[in-house]
Amino acid sequence: MAKRKMITIDGNEAAASIAHRASEVIAIYPITPSSGMGELSDEWSAKGKKNIWGTVPLVAELQSEGGAAGSVHGALQTGALTTTFTASQGLLLMIPNMYKIAGELTSTVFHIAARAIAAQSLSIFGDHQDVMACRQTGWAMLSSGSVQEAHDIALIAHATTLRTRIPFLHFFDGFRTSHEVAKIEYLEDDDLRAMIDDDLVREHRARALTPDKPVLRGTAMNPDVYFQGRESVNQYYEAVPGAVQAEMDKFAKLTGRQYKLFDYVGHPAAERVIVLMGSGGETVEATVKHLVEQGEKVGAIRIRLYRPFSIEYFIKALPASVKTLAVLDRTKEPGSAGEPLYLDIVNAVSESEMAIKVFGGRYGLSSKEFTPAMVKTIFDEAAKPQPKKHFTIGIKDDVSNTSLEYDPTFSVEYPETVRCLFFGLGADGTVGANKNSIKIIGEETENNAQGYFVYDSKKSGSLTISHLRFGPKPLQAPYLISPNTANFVACHQFSFLERFDVLKYAQNGATFLINSTFGPDQVWDELPVEVQQVIIEKKLKFYNINAYEVAEKTGMGTRINTIMQTCFFAISGVLPREQAIAEIKHAIEKTYGKRGEAVVRKNFEAVDQTLAHLSEVKVPASASSTVKMRSAVPDAAPDFVKSVLGPMIVFEGDNIPVSAMPIDGTFPTGTTQWEKRNISLEIPVWDPNLCIQCGKCVFVCPHAVIRHKVYDKAALAEAPETFKSMESKFKEFPGMAYSIQVAPEDCTGCTLCVEACPAKDKTQVGRKAINMAAQPPLRETEAANWDFFLNLPEVDRTAINPNTIKNSQLLQPLFEFSGACTGCGETPYVKLVSQLFGDRAVIANATGCSSIYGGNLPTTPWAKNKEGRGPAWSNSLFEDNAEFGLGMRLTIDKQTEYARELLPHFTPELGQELIDGLLNADQSNELGIKQQRERVAAVKEKLSGLKNDSKAKDLISLADMLVKKSVWIMGGDGWAYDIGYGGLDHVMASGRNVNILVLDTEVYSNTGGQASKSTPRGAVAKFAMAGKGIAKKDLGLIAMSYGYVYVARVAMGASDQQTLKAILEAEAFNGPSIVIAYSHCIAHGIDMAKGLDQQKLAVQSGHWPLFRYNPEMALNGQNPLQIDSKEPSIPLEQYIYNETRYRMLTQSDEERAEMLLKSAQADVKNRWQYYQQMAAMNFAKVSDKPES
Amino acid sequence: MTDLTTTYLGLNLKNPIVASASPLSKKLDSAQKLDEAGVGAIVMYSLFEEQIIHESLELDHFLTRGTDSFAEAMSYLPESSSYATGPGKYLDHITAIKKTVSVPVIGSLNGVSKGGWTSYARHIQDAGADALELNLYYVASDPNLTSNELENAYVELVADVKSNISIPLAVKLSPFFSSIPNVCQKLVEAGADGLVLFNRFYQPDFDLDDLDVIHTLHLSTSAELNLPLRWISILYGKIKADLALTSGVHTAQDVIKSMMAGAQVTMLASELLTNGPRRIPDILSVVESWMQERDYASIKQMQGSMSQNAVREPAAFERANYMKVLSSWKEQL
């Protein structure tokens, strides 16, 4: 067999490569971790890449996975070869159509990057919960366990679906396989042509709906025939196993890679056999080989075809010697007699009347590690007379005691395999460089190569860990590099050494490379003593480079990727130095060449200058440093934070036992305050001499790290020496002291506060009342100042009217220190809501950026005040958030009503005056709310003695409902304009008092910048590579059409006052309200420090006209629409061409960019005119005024 | 028949009106309109050194930023198969314009530092440009930088660019030199075939509301003609290079004056941006009438006819002229 082309790609690309070439229509919707398949398909089609029949597949983005499945169904019914990609909740949304597609015997393949299901919490990581929820739909299910298999089995699926007419679900493990980069053998177009029978394609087409041969499909059947109809397809399912095996055999002849429905590996006379599917099969296979070599009679069945489940083939695959089967399910089915694969195997053994003991367990949920050590333990368990049934492996279950103990040091890796770990900052490009390194090693050497990447959950200052393996032997190791096994450890950020146990991964004699700002003679003394000790004990070879210096000199900024990559090759000796450098440069040209010569040149310079700065550090005989590693959280943190969240912060969460976990996904709020990340090298510093106390810096801060307070001057007696203050300029607080304070360890250094500050030094206008300064020298003193500041009393909420920026910013933010991007454009709005209404708010948050920075562990930003009140927050799903929030409102409305109904029952105990006060309270301001809370407290107090009165107990439990609650429904444009729009529309139409905040970034930000219906004309986004050709949906206009919905469009960078006014009005409006907030975003390709300026330009250009539509105005005979921005005063291009999302189209297709700009400019003009006409309508003359 | 032809950088032009570097050459159709209106030659909009280097660096920065940092978003923008950053797009455009218009097309490079970017001079030549205009403008803000150092840097740059090309090279420079003739002479010795006097640039302005520095572009007026007029007059005959007058040319009278001062061509931008290419035939028509009325047979006949060497009072172009203007101003008070 001729040598085949080898490529180094990830699992998503491996599957998509087949799907794209074997399809005519592809309907897509983004969801992690499958988005890559849709993105690649869209990119390939946009670039004109053809399928095997010589035509470019048509790729269409839908509004949801449900929509994608519907379109797939339609395309299939009309005869196109159609596919899609999804995962998790997305797959669940496809289930209704999957039944239809299977019921109609329709050939298709869905490729699934299998992922956990949101239950007690969401998880983006891999397991089989989603695909297992589809096993009853009538689809065939084929499983891949590696990147190569994702490529191969994708093709087998496409070939077999046409032969059998049964739709196929091809799945592989999310992240572990979808995101693993590996060297694989590429399947050429001719391989696809050899596997896919064109006659079957034409038969598929011949079954299509066409008016030229009309038929009717999709009837409604009655009890007389439905059952028979359902049974009519049995023979097709019976034929599937044979057909799949036939295609696998055909594939083997083509490629030499033989798959079986149930692949057995192991001892021919094995007595103990593990049964499983997915990437864990690779681990089990490698372990089995190792154990067999040790003389153990063990084996494994790796299931490829899970549905239809062929008992016949399964039994045939089993050695006759088997005594015990251990069945591993990567899923959880609470309450069942056992997990699904286990039950299938029990049934298979039972039906075949074999005397085999079967036991099963769960492993690997949400990408939990699954290692040879665990496999060994399961085999040991299988050898016991009574193996533990329904066990778990990989966790410590100290509640139900399901877990098996294992020895983590057990390893089956070949001694020739080289293992390398790289700790990087997200922003420094470490992962990208390592992906390139894997390609270089994979493609330029005979080595096998594998790369897998771990990210923390923050969007700013994030940490990445790259796990690279390479070596001459096969790499069946879909698990992370274990402690004490790495040959090479690189730490690209010196400060990580203080926070994480980086060197626990190094094996004795390994190489350790650090990037530091210190010279080779100085770096040793700067290391924490614990690190010094490990270097000495493990006899590590220690190298140092000041990569930042090289990067600075060569124009690389903070991107040290190329420099560290060069060091890696230079030290590791994977390739001869000269060749390695040549290959790095080749990779640079390949990666960056199209972006311009200057980019290539600066990278080349970085490579060339690296080696001169790299040096080996002489390791002393003893540790002497005075620097010590920091604990994960401060001592003052609550116990739960210390014992549960702390380990998560330092990547030790795997060790947390089941007993420590909340049982229902409930977590305390306000925990980000304990995670001092110190990610910014610069922080803002306040100059009281210039400050005008406007509060704008506080208003715009995305992370709530800059705050101001007015307080009694007497408090200053206890102030730290460097704490700054000035005389209050607030008319409400004469004679008091005033301070602005920054949280130095939480600031991300975005500089939005400096940009927003209007106070300039009259003698030096470049200097403002807020200026950036280096953080390290200020860290300690400012941290003390911050603690003092926090302990100053918060403002009395009843003492101010929050309708000015400065007053509103005296209110304590109850959303702080989130993991959002540096300079995030969404979080200032979120924070504002938390300040104004947080102590009585319930929040429904759609999945997306805001649910991730708002609710991703380890620590979360929603906080509470000193009275213990604060926003109660929850995320249901992506698609149902408006309805979820409405449900909250319904509860509040009902329970408030019930509480009000109960009050009169207790007139003797409460007194009429208190009851009247409670029932007629004016809660339109903070004073009214405070007084109502006092009344509620009185109720509880007065009724507390009625311990046997169930009505009294009910009223006590519901009395808090008598205090006005504020329901906020938040999410991004992907939710509001697309997947959740149906629900959003219904909730707006409901008339209920909910407040909807749309954080409009005009793109799916969280999943990496896919186009939504909010994406403007002319902007480039994923799924709109050629620039979006149609205009942005006008959600505000649609909302206004109801006439009884409060609608506002805001952009705080253009008008902070209008933003504040709109949010206050929206909340005060006793009905549905929606505020659509312009949120600049990293996906716009802008300098985030200029985000507020961009907002201003968006408004000035007319792209984002500001308005408020208040139905109450109409009741008074006034036009409800008030346009708050001026007529467009600058051309659209002055705004849009500051942003890469628009500008890149001028660089890739100038003509189209011009055409779209012209149309978009016309959109601006037309919309402005339309709004003007709406705002000019005379409502005084409307005879039928809407009722409240 | 009046002969309006002239030569510039060895190119034969049908008349002395050249469209100088401006957005008018950014579009094929507007370049075509210039051609149809009868322009003598077209200088392309400038390819800036910053554009060559920074445009691609900027694109790279924004396409790279945030990538591979967060598990759900490996990147935030799609990657196109190619980008026309800076030079490529510009070079393609030169080729397209050359195919579209009948008159000579002069490429334009703008920058000051030595470095790899000067190789784009050759690319411009290869793209089909008939000549190259190198636009030099550096705001010297470092008190330690001497005029001599700066001028030498200019000279080296001109020599460097010249070594890259075989087409004629014109150098466009600012009026801010202690000795303009000396600088001009050194530039010509370094390889300049022509000198374009003078360039005008965005100048900083202050926004008194926001206390910000802002950049504004004011189009030229005929009042600005006098500065280049003086220096063309002085340089004519003394410098062995073709002279082009730019800044302040709006009318037929401005064109005639330029010719008389010694320019081979006049360059227009503001006038064409304001009133469109149709001004070219208008101006040429008036020039022609004016020449016919006064029996000028050709443009060449009048070129340099009022240069410093040709007038009766050469000192009129020097300090004496300055004093005279001041005294005449007093007389008006």
Side-chain angles (χ1 to χ4, degrees):
Chain A
M1 207 167 282
K3 193 167 180 183
R4 287 171 162 270
K5 180 178 165 187
M6 304 300 289
I7 54 170
T8 308
I9 55 174
D10 67 18
N12 273 338
E13 185 170 353
S17 162
I18 301 296
H20 187 263
R21 286 184 284 164
S23 300
E24 294 170 300
V25 170
I26 304 175
I28 52 177
Y29 189 75
I31 183 166
T32 306
S34 68
S35 304
M37 292 186 275
E39 287 168 15
L40 284 166
S41 297
D42 180 60
E43 185 182 323
W44 289 330
S45 283
K47 291 175 180 171
K49 195 169 177 183
K50 293 174 179 168
N51 63 19
I52 55 170
W53 299 279
T55 185
V56 177
L58 183 61
V59 180
E61 185 193 11
L62 272 298
Q63 91 289 6
S64 71
E65 292 89 350
S71 291
V72 166
H73 187 196
L76 290 168
Q77 283 301 318
T78 39
L81 295 171
T82 311
T83 192
T84 189
F85 319 102
T86 194
S88 192
Q89 316 299 136
L91 183 57
L92 302 195
L93 286 179
M94 292 187 175
I95 287 176
N97 257 296
M98 290 173 68
Y99 277 100
K100 288 292 298 175
I101 291 167
E104 292 161 352
L105 285 182
T106 317
S107 301
T108 185
V109 181
F110 287 7
H111 299 271
I112 312 300
R115 167 183 154 179
I117 295 290
Q120 86 282 5
S121 79
L122 170 150
S123 169
I124 59 169
F125 295 100
D127 61 38
H128 299 163
Q129 293 186 70
D130 53 0
V131 288
M132 281 303 194
C134 299
R135 66 187 191 279
Q136 74 290 353
T137 56
W139 282 52
M141 293 170 67
L142 267 174
S143 166
S144 293
S146 68
V147 179
Q148 181 72 64
E149 289 178 16
H151 199 48
D152 295 348
I153 290 179
L155 176 55
I156 290 165
H158 277 273
T160 320
T161 189
L162 287 165
R163 191 156 309 280
T164 59
R165 294 191 60 184
I166 300 296
F168 273 64
L169 206 63
H170 166 231
F171 68 96
F172 45 89
D173 293 351
F175 279 104
R176 188 61 253 182
T177 304
S178 67
H179 283 55
E180 176 177 313
V181 177
K183 179 179 177 177
I184 67 162
E185 204 172 281
Y186 178 67
L187 294 172
E188 304 284 352
D189 286 1
D190 282 344
D191 296 321
L192 272 68
R193 289 191 190 99
M195 287 293 293
I196 294 173
D197 186 337
D198 279 355
D199 288 339
L200 295 176
V201 173
R202 284 185 279 274
E203 282 177 27
H204 171 77
R205 217 170 270 155
R207 291 190 289 269
L209 295 175
T210 166
D212 298 320
K213 287 188 292 174
V215 293
L216 187 146
R217 196 176 287 144
T219 55
M221 291 181 179
N222 297 320
D224 53 348
V225 295
Y226 179 88
F227 193 171
Q228 299 93 306
R230 210 65 179 109
E231 296 296 326
S232 65
V233 295
N234 294 351
Q235 58 188 318
Y236 285 87
Y237 285 90
E238 284 159 15
V240 170
V244 174
Q245 191 55 60
E247 295 297 338
M248 285 176 164
D249 295 345
K250 190 172 162 188
F251 182 83
K253 281 184 188 152
L254 264 180
T255 64
R257 287 190 295 284
Q258 175 72 61
Y259 295 102
K260 292 189 176 160
L261 305 193
F262 298 91
D263 262 321
Y264 177 76
V265 289
H267 198 288
E271 295 175 352
R272 290 166 286 150
V273 170
I274 288 177
V275 182
L276 82 170
M277 53 189 172
S279 66
E282 291 282 291
T283 310
V284 173
E285 186 172 327
T287 311
V288 163
K289 284 176 190 165
H290 177 87
L291 294 175
V292 168
E293 280 171 18
Q294 313 278 312
E296 297 215 37
K297 289 184 176 173
V298 296
I301 293 273
R302 299 185 62 184
I303 298 181
R304 310 291 182 195
L305 183 70
Y306 176 57
R307 284 287 183 273
F309 192 92
S310 170
I311 294 176
E312 180 194 347
Y313 276 85
F314 174 70
I315 297 299
K316 260 198 247 170
L318 274 183
S321 52
V322 173
K323 292 180 180 167
T324 306
L325 288 175
V327 185
L328 296 184
D329 270 281
R330 200 163 196 160
T331 189
K332 165 88 177 167
E333 200 169 305
S336 70
E339 266 59 43
L341 180 57
Y342 166 75
L343 291 182
D344 284 321
I345 301 302
V346 167
N347 179 59
V349 169
S350 167
E351 286 198 12
S352 58
E353 297 176 355
M354 295 176 78
I356 299 175
K357 197 188 301 171
V358 184
F359 74 113
R362 297 179 292 279
Y363 76 105
L365 263 63
S366 178
S367 290
K368 174 67 74 188
E369 279 290 274
F370 181 60
T371 64
M374 298 174 197
V375 177
K376 168 79 165 51
T377 292
I378 295 165
F379 277 125
D380 292 347
E381 189 69 19
K384 292 179 181 172
Q386 296 297 328
K388 183 180 267 190
K389 287 184 186 275
H390 312 297
F391 65 85
T392 57
I393 186 87
I395 57 170
K396 185 177 179 191
D397 178 5
D398 54 348
V399 175
S400 314
N401 297 311
T402 59
S403 56
L404 301 179
E405 296 281 333
Y406 61 96
D407 172 9
T409 61
F410 178 81
S411 169
V412 300
E413 290 197 61
Y414 295 107
E416 300 91 333
T417 300
V418 177
R419 290 168 294 275
C420 309
L421 267 177
F422 301 81
F423 290 79
L425 259 185
D428 67 18
T430 296
V431 169
N434 284 326
K435 285 180 178 172
N436 262 336
S437 295
I438 279 297
K439 286 193 177 187
I440 290 171
I441 297 168
E443 290 168 17
E444 304 304 329
T445 74
E446 291 302 313
N447 283 314
N448 292 296
Q450 174 208 53
Y452 187 74
F453 308 93
V454 175
Y455 309 86
D456 75 11
S457 53
K458 308 292 184 190
K459 289 166 182 274
S460 55
S462 63
L463 180 148
T464 64
I465 310 175
S466 306
H467 295 252
L468 267 58
R469 281 189 181 92
F470 57 90
K473 296 274 183 72
L475 299 170
Q476 280 190 303
Y479 46 87
L480 303 178
I481 292 169
S482 320
N484 299 310
T485 64
N487 307 70
F488 183 95
V489 176
C491 183
H492 294 189
Q493 176 78 8
F494 194 81
S495 66
F496 289 167
L497 296 178
E498 266 187 27
R499 296 166 61 197
F500 310 113
D501 187 2
V502 166
L503 290 181
K504 75 174 180 184
Y505 296 97
Q507 64 180 20
N508 288 339
T511 300
F512 173 45
L513 168 67
I514 183 76
N515 167 36
S516 78
T517 54
F518 310 111
D521 300 331
Q522 190 192 359
V523 66
W524 178 259
D525 294 331
E526 301 293 336
L527 296 174
V529 67
E530 296 89 341
V531 175
Q532 288 183 336
Q533 278 160 353
V534 176
I535 292 174
I536 294 165
E537 280 162 18
K538 291 189 174 179
K539 296 186 170 56
L540 303 184
K541 275 177 272 178
F542 180 26
Y543 289 85
N544 178 60
I545 183 165
N546 186 344
Y548 290 126
E549 187 187 352
V550 181
E552 181 69 32
K553 278 182 185 168
T554 52
M556 297 286 289
T558 57
R559 303 284 291 183
I560 55 168
N561 49 353
T562 307
I563 299 155
M564 300 307 289
Q565 185 188 21
T566 306
C567 291
F568 164 65
F569 277 104
I571 300 169
S572 66
V574 190
L575 286 169
R577 226 174 237 211
E578 294 302 313
Q579 189 193 344
I581 286 176
E583 295 299 344
I584 292 170
K585 287 189 173 176
H586 181 58
I588 288 168
E589 269 181 325
K590 257 168 65 177
T591 310
Y592 304 116
K594 61 190 164 192
R595 296 182 188 175
E597 207 178 299
V599 181
V600 173
R601 199 178 308 126
K602 74 170 180 181
N603 277 280
F604 277 14
E605 281 174 25
V607 171
D608 291 338
Q609 292 203 24
T610 294
L611 296 182
H613 290 75
L614 175 66
S615 43
E616 186 167 359
V617 180
K618 195 164 179 243
V619 178
S622 61
S624 56
S625 178
T626 54
V627 183
K628 287 199 167 180
M629 286 181 74
R630 291 165 44 204
S631 54
V633 294
D635 285 345
D639 285 346
F640 181 79
V641 172
K642 272 195 232 169
S643 60
V644 179
L645 305 186
M648 291 186 210
I649 291 171
V650 292
F651 295 95
E652 302 288 350
D654 284 330
N655 299 328
I656 295 171
V658 172
S659 62
M661 290 300 292
I663 53 171
D664 56 1
T666 306
F667 278 78
T669 60
T671 50
T672 46
Q673 63 179 306
W674 305 111
E675 190 178 7
K676 298 299 178 194
R677 299 201 298 142
N678 285 291
I679 61 171
S680 180
L681 290 173
E682 288 194 332
I683 55 169
V685 174
W686 179 48
D687 184 346
N689 295 323
L690 298 175
C691 185
I692 57 172
Q693 300 183 8
C694 65
K696 285 177 185 284
C697 54
V698 186
F699 193 74
V700 302
C701 177
H703 292 81
V705 301
I706 182 163
R707 301 184 189 179
H708 71 175
K709 272 185 184 174
V710 178
Y711 52 93
D712 196 324
K713 283 177 181 169
L716 287 169
E718 303 295 321
E721 202 178 318
T722 56
F723 186 77
K724 288 181 249 181
S725 74
M726 65 188 289
E727 183 89 11
S728 157
K729 293 179 181 175
F730 284 70
K731 67 175 189 306
E732 298 89 342
F733 304 109
M736 295 184 78
Y738 172 88
S739 289
I740 288 181
Q741 180 62 46
V742 171
E745 299 184 289
D746 302 294
C747 177
T748 66
C750 72
T751 74
L752 283 181
C753 53
V754 179
E755 294 290 327
C757 177
K760 296 183 177 180
D761 187 339
K762 288 190 170 54
T763 63
Q764 186 188 346
V765 296
R767 185 174 165 74
K768 293 182 164 188
I770 296 283
N771 303 286
M772 298 303 284
Q775 189 254 24
L778 296 169
R779 176 169 149 184
E780 212 173 301
T781 51
E782 287 306 310
N785 289 338
W786 174 252
D787 284 343
F788 173 76
F789 178 87
L790 286 181
N791 286 319
L792 291 171
E794 295 291 340
V795 71
D796 176 359
R797 296 177 71 94
T798 65
I800 57 162
N801 187 336
N803 63 358
T804 62
I805 298 298
K806 60 190 295 185
N807 280 2
S808 71
Q809 294 312 298
L810 287 174
L811 303 174
Q812 183 184 358
L814 299 174
F815 177 86
E816 60 184 11
F817 322 138
S818 76
C821 292
T822 300
C824 175
E826 293 186 358
T827 45
Y829 298 109
V830 176
K831 185 190 65 174
L832 178 61
V833 168
S834 84
Q835 290 173 293
L836 296 170
F837 321 111
D839 62 350
R840 55 188 177 86
V842 186
I843 295 167
N845 205 139
T847 308
C849 271
S850 52
S851 74
I852 296 302
Y853 61 62
N856 208 126
L857 297 181
T859 60
T860 52
W862 294 96
K864 56 190 175 192
N865 61 20
K866 285 205 166 60
E867 290 79 48
R869 292 195 179 90
W873 179 95
S874 186
N875 157 240
S876 173
L877 298 169
F878 196 10
E879 62 272 21
D880 72 339
N881 189 50
E883 301 93 310
F884 184 51
L886 178 66
M888 295 172 171
R889 181 78 254 170
L890 295 176
T891 295
I892 292 165
D893 287 351
K894 179 62 240 170
Q895 294 191 344
T896 304
E897 185 177 57
Y898 183 36
R900 292 171 69 89
E901 288 165 1
L902 288 171
L903 281 172
H905 290 275
F906 301 100
T907 309
E909 291 84 358
L910 301 177
Q912 195 57 46
E913 190 184 346
L914 177 57
I915 291 173
D916 288 346
L918 284 159
L919 293 176
N920 303 314
D922 172 6
Q923 299 188 63
S924 61
N925 56 39
E926 291 288 341
L927 181 59
I929 285 169
K930 187 184 175 196
Q931 289 168 342
Q932 185 75 340
R933 281 189 178 131
E934 287 165 0
R935 291 185 199 105
V936 166
V939 168
K940 289 181 182 176
E941 162 71 25
K942 286 173 190 278
L943 298 185
S944 61
L946 304 178
K947 297 194 186 308
N948 296 319
D949 185 329
S950 69
K951 276 195 165 50
K953 287 196 276 186
D954 271 1
L955 182 51
I956 289 171
S957 70
L958 294 173
D960 285 330
M961 287 297 183
L962 294 167
V963 178
K964 185 180 170 187
K965 299 289 183 291
S966 187
V967 175
W968 283 86
I969 298 171
M970 296 182 180
D973 49 286
W975 157 68
Y977 286 66
D978 288 358
I979 194 169
Y981 174 69
L984 182 88
D985 178 61
H986 191 84
V987 169
M988 286 195 296
S990 74
R992 293 277 173 180
N993 184 7
V994 294
N995 310 292
I996 300 164
L997 176 61
V998 180
L999 302 157
D1000 195 344
T1001 61
E1002 304 186 324
V1003 76
Y1004 286 81
S1005 302
N1006 192 53
T1007 47
Q1010 296 82 6
S1012 75
K1013 282 198 286 295
S1014 175
T1015 302
R1017 198 197 293 267
V1020 171
K1022 290 173 186 167
F1023 303 168
M1025 273 197 67
K1028 185 145 173 268
I1030 49 175
K1032 175 188 171 85
K1033 168 172 163 178
D1034 193 338
L1035 185 61
L1037 191 58
I1038 294 169
M1040 280 190 272
S1041 71
Y1042 281 107
Y1044 56 84
V1045 177
Y1046 179 93
V1047 189
R1049 189 184 286 147
V1050 304
M1052 69 163 54
S1055 174
D1056 46 15
Q1057 191 60 48
Q1058 190 258 359
T1059 298
L1060 175 61
K1061 198 168 188 178
I1063 288 180
L1064 285 168
E1065 285 178 357
E1067 208 276 339
F1069 181 69
N1070 187 22
S1073 63
I1074 179 166
V1075 178
I1076 306 165
Y1078 185 107
S1079 305
H1080 62 257
C1081 177
I1082 189 170
H1084 295 175
I1086 57 164
D1087 176 357
M1088 294 290 274
K1090 302 292 179 192
L1092 298 170
D1093 293 342
Q1094 274 306 101
Q1095 294 195 16
K1096 197 172 179 180
L1097 292 173
V1099 172
Q1100 287 175 337
S1101 67
H1103 169 71
W1104 195 270
L1106 305 178
F1107 67 77
R1108 286 168 296 134
Y1109 180 96
N1110 192 341
E1112 284 176 353
M1113 306 273 283
L1115 296 175
N1116 301 323
Q1118 294 171 291
N1119 191 310
L1121 176 61
Q1122 183 163 334
I1123 299 173
D1124 294 327
S1125 53
K1126 292 179 185 162
E1127 188 171 0
S1129 57
I1130 59 169
L1132 189 63
E1133 61 185 303
Q1134 199 171 321
Y1135 152 62
I1136 67 173
Y1137 288 148
N1138 287 337
E1139 305 196 348
T1140 307
R1141 61 174 168 153
Y1142 293 102
R1143 205 170 51 245
M1144 64 189 291
L1145 188 60
T1146 67
Q1147 290 158 339
S1148 59
D1149 188 347
E1150 190 175 16
E1151 209 172 308
R1152 181 171 166 80
E1154 279 177 22
M1155 185 268 285
L1156 293 177
L1157 171 63
K1158 208 169 164 184
S1159 304
Q1161 187 68 66
D1163 294 341
V1164 164
K1165 190 178 167 195
N1166 294 339
R1167 187 171 52 237
W1168 180 258
Q1169 285 176 351
Y1170 191 70
Y1171 283 6
Q1172 286 294 313
Q1173 288 170 29
M1174 282 179 68
M1177 281 172 63
N1178 187 348
F1179 272 62
K1181 290 180 186 167
V1182 177
S1183 53
D1184 296 325
K1185 291 172 189 166
E1187 290 181 10
S1188 175
Chain B
M1 188 70 184
T2 313
D3 178 9
L4 295 181
T5 64
T6 184
T7 60
Y8 177 57
L9 305 174
L11 306 168
N12 292 316
L13 310 189
K14 60 188 174 190
N15 65 62
I17 294 184
V18 173
S20 65
S22 81
L24 287 171
S25 55
K26 281 194 171 176
K27 302 266 171 64
L28 275 187
D29 61 342
S30 55
Q32 198 168 5
K33 280 179 190 157
L34 289 170
D35 188 25
E36 287 164 2
V39 76
I42 297 170
V43 182
M44 291 285 296
Y45 66 95
S46 285
L47 177 60
F48 284 80
E49 174 187 356
E50 291 86 350
Q51 192 181 354
I52 294 169
I53 296 169
H54 297 293
E55 199 170 290
S56 60
L57 292 180
E58 188 179 84
L59 177 73
D60 175 59
H61 171 73
F62 286 119
L63 290 183
T64 306
R65 188 190 52 184
T67 60
D68 292 318
S69 301
F70 180 66
E72 298 210 59
M74 292 298 119
S75 64
Y76 288 96
L77 288 160
E79 183 81 86
S80 288
S81 47
S82 65
Y83 301 99
T85 52
K89 191 163 97 179
Y90 184 82
L91 299 174
D92 291 345
H93 194 55
I94 288 184
T95 306
I97 286 198
K98 265 302 286 179
K99 283 185 187 158
T100 306
V101 303
S102 61
V103 295
V105 174
I106 301 169
S108 176
L109 259 182
N110 190 316
V112 287
S113 68
K114 282 183 73 177
W117 71 276
T118 54
S119 63
Y120 285 102
R122 179 181 287 278
H123 295 319
I124 289 174
Q125 171 181 295
D126 295 343
D130 296 293
L132 177 68
E133 182 177 287
L134 176 65
N135 201 336
L136 300 176
Y137 191 86
Y138 177 76
V139 178
S141 56
D142 177 1
N144 295 318
L145 179 68
T146 67
S147 54
N148 206 25
E149 286 169 338
L150 185 59
E151 288 170 13
N152 287 342
Y154 282 169
V155 167
E156 282 179 34
L157 179 61
V158 168
D160 188 19
V161 170
K162 181 70 179 176
S163 70
N164 272 293
I165 56 173
S166 56
I167 53 175
L169 173 67
V171 176
K172 189 170 183 175
L173 65 163
S174 80
F176 308 118
F177 293 99
S178 301
S179 170
I180 288 176
N182 178 256
V183 170
C184 290
Q185 184 168 295
K186 286 197 280 190
L187 294 175
V188 170
E189 284 167 2
D193 302 299
L195 297 170
V196 185
L197 309 178
F198 293 109
N199 52 20
R200 49 197 310 282
F201 282 85
Y202 294 98
Q203 299 288 0
D205 195 359
F206 295 157
D207 177 334
L208 293 179
D209 291 327
D210 291 337
L211 298 184
D212 273 337
V213 178
I214 52 173
H215 293 275
T216 50
L217 173 66
H218 300 292
L219 294 176
S220 74
T221 65
S222 287
E224 293 176 45
L225 183 72
N226 292 11
L227 180 72
L229 201 63
R230 164 193 274 195
W231 286 107
I232 295 273
S233 300
I234 292 172
L235 294 174
Y236 182 79
K238 296 176 187 162
I239 300 292
K240 290 180 181 160
D242 287 351
L243 300 172
L245 188 146
T246 185
S247 291
V249 183
H250 289 263
T251 65
Q253 287 72 23
D254 296 340
V255 174
I256 294 164
K257 288 176 188 174
S258 305
M259 295 299 106
M260 289 181 162
Q264 299 295 112
V265 292
T266 54
M267 292 187 175
L268 284 73
S270 297
E271 181 62 24
L272 300 180
L273 285 171
T274 310
N275 296 316
R278 67 175 186 278
R279 278 292 288 150
I280 295 168
D282 291 351
I283 292 171
L284 287 174
S285 163
V286 176
V287 169
E288 198 169 0
S289 303
W290 189 91
M291 289 169 68
Q292 283 167 356
E293 281 167 21
R294 287 158 180 80
D295 289 335
Y296 278 94
S298 70
I299 284 287
K300 286 169 189 150
Q301 187 184 5
M302 68 167 76
Q303 278 171 335
S305 59
M306 289 191 72
S307 65
Q308 189 181 26
N309 288 343
V311 296
R312 207 152 42 84
E313 290 181 87
F317 292 97
E318 296 171 12
R319 185 172 171 78
N321 178 258
Y322 175 66
M323 299 302 288
K324 192 175 172 185
V325 169
L326 276 188
S327 22
S328 66
W329 179 253
K330 274 186 188 168
E331 282 161 16
Q332 287 175 28
L333 293 174

